[in-house]
Amino acid sequence: MNQEQAALRTRTLLWVWTIFVIVVVYLPVVCSALASLTKSRYFLFPIRKWSFDWWDKTMASIEVSTLVKTSLMLAGSVTVLATLIGFFGALAFARYNWKGRSLFQKVVLLPIFFPQPVLGLALLLWFNALGLPLSWHTAVIAHLVWIAPVVTLVIAIQVYGFDPVVEEAAFDLGASRLQVMKEVTLPMLWPGIWSGMLFAFLLSWGNFPLSLYTSGADSTVPKWLFTKMIAGYTPMVPTLGTMSTLGAALVLSIGGVAVILARRRSN
Amino acid sequence: MSETALMGESRQKLLLDLVGVRKTFDGFNAVERIDLSVMEGEFFTIVGPSGSGKTTLLRMLAGMDQPSDGAIYLRGESLNDMPANKRPTCLVFQSLALFPHMTVGQNIEFALKMRKIAPAARKARALELMRVVRLPETYYSKNVMKCSGGEKQRVALARAFAYDPEILLFDEPLSALDYKLRKTLEKELKDLHRETGKTFIYITHSLEEAMVMSDRIGVMRDGRLVQVGTPEEIYTKPSDKFVSEFMGEVNIVQVRPDGAGRYRSEDLAGSFTVNAPPSTDGYVVIRPEFLRFLASPSDADNHLTGRVHNEYSLGSRVQYQVRVGERMFLVEQPRRQSFGGGDVTIGWDAADAIFVAE
Amino acid sequence: MVEFSRRTVLQMLGAGGAMAAASTGFARNAFAAGRDKEMNILCWEGYNSAQVLDPFRTEFGATVKAESLTNDPTMVNRLRAGETKVWDLINLNNPWARKLMWPEKLIKPLDQEVFQPYFAKMLPEFKAPFHWAMSDDGKDLLGMAQRFGPYSFVVNTDKVSRKMAEDEGWDLFNDKAIVGRYGVQESDDWNVFDMFLVAGIDPFKVHSEAEMATFLATAKRIYKGAKLIGDMASLNQALISGEIDLYLTGGTYSVSPARADGYPNLRGITPLRGPMNGKGGVMWIEVTSTVNNPNLSPLAPKFLQYVQRPEVAHTVAFAEGTFNPVSQMGNPECFKLFTKDELEAIQWDSLSEEMARSVAYDIVPDYEKALDLLNAAKRERG
Amino acid sequence: MKIHALQIQDAAISGTAKKSRGPFLTPGARCALPVIVLLLLGFAAPLTAVIAYSFAEPHSFNVFSSFTFANYAEIFNTENTVWMSFLWSLSLAAVTVLILSVIAYPIAYGMVYVFGRWSGLVSILFVFPLFISENVRLYGWVLFFIKNGVFDGTLNLLGGSDAPEVLYSPGIILFGMIYTYLPYMLFPLVLGLSLLPRDVVDAAKDLGASRYQVWREIELPLAMPGFMIGLLLTFVLAVGAIAESKVLGGQSVIVLTHDIEVSFTYAQNWPLGSALAVLITLITGGLTLFMLFKLDLDRVLGRK
């Protein structure tokens, strides 16, 4: 039974380590939530006076609702566009064998492997050279540059598991190219597309370095958090941060359920 | 049951002894209380359909899975606590599990490298083994993933031999190959077994494969060993309906004693005689080659009347489907015969039929 | 997962199209149309707060966007880089308007008939001739003044007494005893002043090489001995937590929120004396100007009038992040809105004497070189 | 051979469906077009703009209208200490990558081999922080580690002892980077390890390899493509890190991105900042291209 014990020990160690790291990962998120529940502006622990004041204030603020609206519009637009672009990108990445494919695969990945503050600055300079006024519209483009490749990759992984022969069979059975896409290709790739959308939305929602340089006067939630954090800090910062985290968690769980359902249906 | 099989070969030395070996996965018994002994130098094959637990049994022998219960002894010493990398066993995987990032030579030398044997000695041994498994020397530095199916098979074999195990374990290594190559390799394996004198434990779902190569065969079903014996014994004396069915296409008739030493079937007219039957319900099993067309009903101990439904050429023989009432019987003949549209009589002798219990 | 109106989708598709069409000037027109319900402010923290903007939004039915940056050079540079098309109002320390943005045509003058009268109601220091709100030739009114304050350094008076701090002034930072006990605000234009001041040199003049060398040596020493370089919020948090006892570059603007939160022991200090014609403190006066936007929002001047209202001025003074005196406190109607605690938070008791001990924020003639040295000094921390 | 067959099949589909259009672009190229246009306009062009700016007169906005090497001369000037920032950024990134691989490897191993049906949940727990703004999480650490913060406060409550001082040091910057980039190392590693057939590991063990030998000879080389992606991704992102130094580290060391930022802000010198950005791009871009061209992406992502 020695071996069994050794295996058990390894399993236990792996679990302990993983759970430890997960706890560490969420520790600051919890600290942030604590800071939103204190009455005073500066944080001392243990908290002397607990209060929901900052939550009330944050909820009531037009400022914050504007931020949330801007962030939602930004993330929503990025989701739609990135999924559209990424879907076709994924087909080019994994489905078709074409002359430039190998090069394409590498080029698509480049923006992911690129320091985001530098990318944000580069886009700022470029928009500036074009004389394009900065707003959340320009931030959409900036986010797309980074997120569309991520979505391409996410969907591509699904496309790899997809046998193109099925398309051929549908074609052979008299479906038009559009029908093949609608009846065969799309339904089979749904789980990947959903995951891609989820990633697009959440990554855009949480992005800071790209928004910082490219959204101009339109502040997003992360950008506002940053500016308030360095000057004008109030516990509204951790409050909105915690709200944003909870919102992302909600989207993730709803989206996650959708992905699971889509996967179940496609099986 | 293995006790009886052992008697005739008592001169051979006992190598491996399994006592009450059981394996449970999440409450499901993959292998149930197996007792089995394997002799030194034996080619022992475990046959069974997929899901019968044979791979699990093999992995326990290799040390990759631990028995939930029971013990495995090698020459009387328990192997239970010995990890795979210390056991004198070596498994040839169904997937072959070749190391894709290594050359043929590196694959073969792997075990030697693990023992920190000097490169020159390793290479010499690898080349020697490549000769044994009939791989050209030029393959030494070839990328293993660029080899054909049969070549990969030989690399996997050589790699296992290099470990110099006492027992070689094979997990359906030939199942992915085409028929002709499989046949060739079956014979080569048998030759290698004789040349090396090592103990082979081989699992397969193909009885044909088992028959060709094995000294003894164990048949597994639902985690149990249902019969252990020589190919001849398994073939001629299957212990139950499952074993007989597993042996290939056979005619099976469910029967019950009629009290007068003969047996009667519900859905067939007439009664049958069987040699040495117990007085219980059971099945009469008749191989297609033992069934024949009769000129008159008295030409055989038992007979039935039906119509020829279909005929197939098997190359060396011809197989006929004969419909008797609602049932279909298979008859094999060395030569083609032509029948009119009318009734035919088929029959068999009592000595050619086997009676098995449920 | 997100509700989309058709318009939103069209807008965002427009963004893609706009990019391609940008060079043809299409975008400029597209974005220029109909700005009477929107306004963008580039400002220091305060004007971007919900308390100030939300009532304005409600009253004027306007979409107001505000971005706060914590230093003047960046904001000026954003306009220089071409963002005059984006912003309607810019809020900076006064010399930038007069000395840089006006000559570079980045801002527009205000209608003097409308805005002059407001100055009459301000605190005495802000009454005519208010040269810091005017162009150098005295002809154009470049912006409106509101917030101001002394800005030198902040101490925890439980650890370093106010008297000692004011008395020793910048020399405090030459004392080895405080190594590892102080922070430096990440506010490099102000830090340039402060390093000069610690070195005993007047920052607002052209410097000799020897003075620059002293400056560098001082900067290196100050940075090396600093516990942290950080933003206002981090420094206040560190001060309250006890990580540090004092920090460089700070004053009412930075410390008032902490004072208001129940830490009156933290205090902005203005040295009694120093190398600037005997004065030791630096103070700032913000001026908010209308940007030379080709399509300036008509709301911009309205906002400038809006913040002059006594109750709004009070809100500006006590916007959520930083609390400051405002020039409108000269108007009794405005002043009466300030509670005792609020006056305490902005150190009203010593405000006028501190202002009297300070010179105004100005542009350092050899700022670029000094900044390079400052950054070099910072790098040697690690 | 397989590729050939697929091409024929594609040609067949497009040929019949779009006969009138002619073979202007293959279906693959057509699908790639939106991404390519996006990357040309949103990635290649901005990079060109940065390069152009890096050759503009210092402190000016005369992009495309002036050309000078002054910015690069400034950076390579022997008196300029910006090399220290390069050194800090690169070495912090290198150490981050090393430590991360040690932290993430066991987790990735567990997710692939041990956690079974729980590994889905585990991966969601590790993905999720990516969607929370980095600033918020890092500030959370300040609240944890600061004097009278969560850690110190808890220790005081429990036993009266003070927590060690860790904030505002290079060590905490490293910690912050490790913290932030963990998922970027973890998931490529999971991808890499799942490329590795279970049988092959068993075979190696069976052939007498010890646990360490299995790891060195089999696991590591076979998981290498994923490992490489993880190393590259975390390194490149860590080189561009700035928030860790600012929020947690009290700028106890100055990282390269900070210098770039100062050029764009306090220094009002976009051309110099651009030149620094070009140099950082050369380093990370060169590394990325080199690695990407060594990898067989079809194998890594498609698990073929």
Side-chain angles (χ1 to χ4, degrees), chain B residues 93-347:
Chain B
F93 287 76
Q94 180 166 22
S95 65
L96 301 183
L98 293 173
F99 305 132
H101 56 304
M102 298 182 186
T103 62
V104 168
Q106 285 169 325
N107 262 282
I108 298 173
E109 287 173 18
F110 185 83
L112 305 172
K113 191 177 172 194
M114 295 305 103
R115 284 181 208 152
K116 310 214 158 49
I117 288 167
R122 285 195 323 233
K123 182 169 182 182
R125 176 76 179 135
L127 289 173
E128 186 188 324
L129 284 166
M130 284 170 73
R131 266 193 303 283
V132 172
V133 298
R134 299 172 187 108
L135 272 172
E137 212 164 277
T138 51
Y139 273 50
Y140 181 79
S141 38
K142 184 170 177 165
N143 181 340
V144 77
M145 295 322 273
K146 296 216 165 90
C147 292
S148 72
E151 287 160 1
K152 280 181 184 160
Q153 185 64 55
R154 289 164 209 263
V155 177
L157 261 175
R159 186 177 73 173
F161 280 126
Y163 182 67
D164 198 23
E166 290 198 52
I167 306 171
L168 271 138
L169 308 167
F170 297 87
D171 185 4
E172 307 201 34
L174 305 182
S175 60
L177 303 177
D178 62 60
Y179 183 80
K180 193 166 166 250
L181 189 56
R182 195 164 72 226
K183 287 286 148 204
T184 318
L185 286 170
E186 276 169 12
K187 297 207 174 74
E188 283 182 16
L189 260 182
K190 178 94 182 146
D191 290 347
L192 276 171
H193 175 245
R194 197 176 45 241
E195 287 162 22
T196 57
K198 292 198 185 293
T199 308
F200 282 23
I201 299 180
Y202 192 100
I203 67 177
T204 176
H205 61 269
S206 156
L207 187 79
E208 202 186 342
E209 209 169 287
M211 293 282 182
V212 172
M213 299 187 289
S214 322
D215 295 326
R216 275 195 309 151
I217 295 173
V219 182
M220 268 188 95
R221 177 193 189 184
D222 297 338
R224 293 171 198 282
L225 262 181
V226 288
Q227 189 175 11
V228 177
T230 62
E232 176 71 17
E233 283 168 344
I234 300 277
Y235 190 80
T236 55
K237 293 181 204 143
S239 64
D240 63 8
K241 178 173 170 248
F242 171 79
V243 177
S244 55
E245 265 178 336
F246 195 70
M247 298 292 118
E249 290 181 302
V250 287
N251 300 297
I252 296 181
V253 184
Q254 190 170 14
V255 292
R256 55 174 38 155
D258 69 352
R262 288 177 72 84
Y263 286 80
R264 193 170 281 289
S265 160
E266 305 264 298
D267 43 335
L268 291 171
S271 59
F272 317 121
T273 55
V274 179
N275 282 357
S279 53
T280 56
D281 290 5
Y283 299 88
V284 169
V285 181
I286 317 120
R287 301 196 172 278
E289 62 268 31
F290 292 139
L291 262 177
R292 56 186 198 271
F293 292 104
L294 304 178
S296 94
S298 57
D299 286 354
D301 296 347
N302 302 295
H303 74 270
L304 289 167
T305 306
R307 267 169 203 267
V308 173
H309 180 71
N310 225 333
E311 67 168 67
Y312 312 94
S313 167
L314 298 181
S316 56
R317 291 152 298 151
V318 185
Q319 191 178 67
Y320 295 89
Q321 272 186 323
V322 178
R323 181 190 282 280
V324 179
E326 292 300 301
R327 291 230 20 187
M328 209 65 92
F329 280 81
L330 291 175
V331 184
E332 272 181 30
Q333 297 277 298
R335 273 176 298 277
R336 202 168 166 274
Q337 240 174 299
S338 65
F339 303 96
D343 286 354
V344 291
T345 306
I346 54 175

Side-chain angles (χ1 to χ4, degrees), chain A residues 199-258:
Chain A
F199 262 88
F201 185 84
L202 292 168
L203 287 176
S204 172
W205 175 258
N207 183 278
F208 165 69
L210 294 172
S211 302
L212 173 68
Y213 295 110
T214 57
S215 74
D218 291 316
S219 202
T220 63
V221 172
K223 192 172 161 183
W224 182 88
L225 290 174
F226 172 75
T227 39
K228 285 287 172 181
M229 200 185 284
I230 57 176
Y233 173 87
T234 70
M236 265 172 100
V237 171
T239 305
L240 187 57
T242 308
M243 283 182 180
S244 159
T245 305
L246 292 177
L250 193 71
V251 170
L252 184 69
S253 25
I254 294 172
V257 169

